[in-house]
C-alpha cells in the first residue's frame, strides 16, 4: 500500500461551550490538518495522486477556517459573534468544535471532494482506486485528534 499525506497549517480560534475550564472562552491554535490518501498501485506518473490535486480539492474549504472562530450554534453567544464577524464565525450545529469534531468535518468534506475528483470535476485527475484513509487535526505540537471511516 502506498500512502501520501498532505498537511495544511492554519490559525483558527474556537470556544468550547461545554467545557468546564478555560477552553469555554475564545482562544486560538496553530492547527495542522493532515489528510492521508492511499492506493495499492501508483498512477502513470508514479504517484498515489498529485499533491496539487489535494490542494485543489480542499484548499478553499480549509482556508475558510484560517483566522476564523469556530463555534457551537447552541452557544448562547453564537448569534452575537456571527452578527459581529459574519462568515469569519464557522458554525458547528449543536456540537462544540473540538479537534475530534473538526477532524470528522474535514474527513466528510475530503471524502466528497475525492469523489468529485474521481469523477473528473477538477483539473488534476484522480483514479478510482485512491481512497482517503484518515484526517488528523493537530491542536498543538503535542496533541491531535483523528477521524477515519474504519
Amino acid at each position: 500500500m502506498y500512502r501520501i499525506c498532505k498537511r495544511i497549517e492554519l490559525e483558527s480560534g474556537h470556544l468550547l461551550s461545554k467545557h468546564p475550564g478555560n477552553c469555554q472562552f475564545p482562544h486560538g491554535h496553530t492547527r495542522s490538518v493532515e489528510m492521508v490518501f492511499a492506493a495499492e498501485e501508483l498512477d502513470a506518473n508514479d504517484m498515489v495522486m498529485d499533491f496539487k490535486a489535494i490542494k485543489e480539492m480542499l484548499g478553499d474549504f480549509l482556508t475558510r477556517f484560517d483566522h476564523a472562530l469556530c463555534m457551537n450554534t447552541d452557544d448562547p453567544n453564537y448569534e452575537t459573534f456571527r452578527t459581529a464577524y459574519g462568515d469569519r464565525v464557522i458554525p458547528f450545529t449543536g456540537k462544540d468544535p473540538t479537534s475530534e469534531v473538526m477532524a470528522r468535518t474535514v474527513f466528510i468534506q475530503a471524502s466528497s471532494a475525492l469523489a468529485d475528483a474521481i469523477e473528473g470535476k477538477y483539473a488534476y485527475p484522480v483514479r478510482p482506486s485512491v481512497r482517503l484513509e484518515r484526517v488528523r487535526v493537530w491542536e498543538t505540537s503535542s496533541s491531535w485528534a483523528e477521524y477515519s471511516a474504519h
Side-chain angles (χ1 to χ4, degrees):
M1 185 66 61
Y2 294 94
R3 290 178 180 82
I4 62 169
C5 177
K6 178 69 175 171
R7 176 185 274 192
I8 297 174
E9 293 190 0
L10 50 92
E11 304 293 329
S12 73
H14 68 170
L15 58 93
L16 306 178
S17 57
K18 299 175 188 175
H19 196 278
N22 285 337
C23 291
Q24 68 183 295
F25 304 111
H27 63 284
H29 297 282
T30 300
R31 296 185 188 277
S32 290
V33 178
E34 292 179 1
M35 296 155 286
V36 176
F37 295 85
E40 290 188 23
E41 300 294 331
L42 298 179
D43 66 13
N45 296 325
D46 297 321
M47 300 177 182
V48 169
M49 64 191 286
D50 198 306
F51 287 110
K52 289 182 180 180
I54 302 167
K55 182 73 171 171
E56 181 183 31
M57 290 168 19
L58 294 160
D60 289 343
F61 173 77
L62 290 173
T63 298
R64 286 183 37 223
F65 288 85
D66 196 34
H67 290 81
L69 178 65
C70 300
M71 289 186 71
N72 184 337
T73 56
D74 290 343
D75 186 292
N77 294 310
Y78 172 77
E79 287 302 328
T80 302
F81 278 92
R82 186 72 176 187
T83 299
Y85 299 109
D87 64 359
R88 301 313 302 154
V89 175
I90 307 293
F92 283 75
T93 305
K95 292 188 181 296
D96 271 0
T98 61
S99 291
E100 294 87 342
V101 170
M102 288 183 179
R104 183 175 186 272
T105 299
V106 173
F107 187 93
I108 290 167
Q109 180 67 29
S111 295
S112 176
L114 179 61
D116 287 346
I118 289 168
E119 290 180 15
K121 295 183 180 178
Y122 295 105
Y124 289 90
V126 178
R127 297 166 298 131
S129 59
V130 174
R131 63 183 170 77
L132 176 63
E133 281 199 343
R134 65 176 170 81
V135 169
R136 182 177 285 179
V137 174
W138 289 84
E139 184 165 300
T140 67
S141 63
S142 63
S143 304
W144 56 260
E146 183 174 281
Y147 186 84
S148 67
H150 40 288

